């Protein structure tokens, strides 16, 4: 059974700092890994999707990496801004093929201070 | 940008009552899901639906739960007899193909009293 863990649970940084959020998963037979952003009381916004055959994906100031052998993924945020404040969730896609279910971590609550 | 729409945003019900949560997935999507998040806990998978049938369901998705795609646009989750522990934010999600990312709606906050 897949278990996903995210550390730290909370992170507070000054504006402009580069930061890394960590995600680990127990089952390396992962179909893909997806990073989401969740604002308070809102839904989940997909940020990046890394297929199991890929090592990383980039979108603007965000870069996500995937290392299946070590069971780890990181989300790197460059030049953080107050608008980046949110909870960041990582989720592993199961090995059941295209109709996989996602197993979520509990998230990292990021606060970027102006 | 197209989005997944969920209604209502909030639903309050009495224990034992039936509730139906409604979702309109993105129009050309083929895979549909329900997830839920109890306050302070992880987002949990409930059920996946493809080609007009359930593909997979979790232990949470017992006989009290059902899903339906009654027409070409709506996707509903029904809870027949709600319990206090069903109180949670329920998210609908969809994707176009197996390899693409999952799009989530903004959720329905269900409160069972």
């Amino acid at each position: 059974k897949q278990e996903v863990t995210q550390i730290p649970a909370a992170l507070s940084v000054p504006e402009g700092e580069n930061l890394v959020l960590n995600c680990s998963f127990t089952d390396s037979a992962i179909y893909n890994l997806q990073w989401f952003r969740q604002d308070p009381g809102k839904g989940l916004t997909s940020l990046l999707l890394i297929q199991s055959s890929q090592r990383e994906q980039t979108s603007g100031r965000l870069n996500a990496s995937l290392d299946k052998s070590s069971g780890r993924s990181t989300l790197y945020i460059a030049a953080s801004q107050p608008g980046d404040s949110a909870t960041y969730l990582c989720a592993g896609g199961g090995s059941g093929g295209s109709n996989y279910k996602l197993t979520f971590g509990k998230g990292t609550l990021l606060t970027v201070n102006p | 940008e197209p989005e997944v729409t969920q209604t209502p945003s909030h639903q309050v019900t009495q224990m034992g009552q039936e509730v139906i949560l409604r979702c309109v997935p993105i129009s050309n999507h083929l895979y549909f899901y329900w997830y839920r998040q109890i306050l302070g806990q992880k987002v949990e998978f409930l059920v996946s639906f493809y080609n007009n049938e359930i593909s997979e369901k979790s232990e949470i998705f017992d006989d009290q739960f059902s899903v339906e795609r009654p027409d070409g646009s709506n996707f509903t989750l029904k809870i027949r007899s709600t319990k206090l522990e069903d109180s949670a934010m329920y998210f609908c999600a969809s994707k176009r193909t197996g390899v693409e990312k999952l799009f989530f709606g903004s959720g329905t906050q269900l409160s069972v009293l």
Side-chain angles (χ1 to χ4, degrees), chain A residues 3-5 31-32 34 36 38 41-44 46-47 49 51 89 98-102 104-106, chain B residues 31 33 35 37 40-43 45 48-50 55-56 89 91 95 98-102 104-107:
Chain A
E3 296 285 341
V4 177
T5 305
Y31 192 76
N32 56 34
Q34 203 163 342
F36 294 88
Q38 185 175 29
K42 301 281 182 67
L44 284 66
S46 179
L47 299 173
L49 169 67
Q51 302 295 346
L89 303 174
S98 60
N99 199 10
Y100 57 87
K101 65 180 184 187
L102 290 175
F104 282 82
K106 206 168 180 183
Chain B
Y31 298 80
Y33 303 81
Y35 286 79
Q37 186 177 32
Q41 298 189 21
K42 295 181 179 184
V43 176
F45 167 78
S48 58
F49 192 88
Y50 171 71
S55 307
E56 186 177 359
M89 179 76 90
F91 293 109
K95 62 180 181 178
V99 297
E100 295 187 4
K101 56 186 179 182
L102 203 52
F104 280 76
S106 55

Side-chain angles (χ1 to χ4, degrees), chain A residues 8 11 13 17 26 29 47 50 58 61 71 75-76 85 87 98 112:
Chain A
L11 181 64
V13 300
E17 194 159 296
T26 55
L47 299 173
I50 312 175
T58 298
R61 294 182 293 107
L75 178 66
Y76 174 83
S85 298
T87 297
S98 60
V112 181

Side-chain angles (χ1 to χ4, degrees), chain A residues 17-113:
Chain A
E17 194 159 296
N18 302 326
L19 60 101
V20 174
L21 306 181
N22 295 291
C23 171
S24 61
F25 47 92
T26 55
D27 186 356
S28 61
I30 200 168
Y31 192 76
N32 56 34
L33 190 127
Q34 203 163 342
W35 282 91
F36 294 88
R37 169 188 172 134
Q38 185 175 29
D39 292 285
K42 301 281 182 67
L44 284 66
T45 302
S46 179
L47 299 173
L48 290 164
L49 169 67
I50 312 175
Q51 302 295 346
S52 61
S53 58
Q54 298 173 323
R55 300 281 290 187
E56 64 179 315
Q57 281 287 321
T58 298
S59 175
R61 294 182 293 107
L62 306 180
N63 175 277
S65 68
L66 175 63
D67 184 342
K68 287 179 58 178
S69 61
S70 67
R72 291 184 183 178
S73 176
T74 61
L75 178 66
Y76 174 83
I77 303 177
S80 57
Q81 302 170 358
D84 295 331
S85 298
T87 297
Y88 290 81
L89 303 174
C90 83
S95 55
S98 60
N99 199 10
Y100 57 87
K101 65 180 184 187
L102 290 175
T103 300
F104 282 82
K106 206 168 180 183
T108 293
L109 175 61
L110 174 65
T111 303
V112 181
N113 301 298

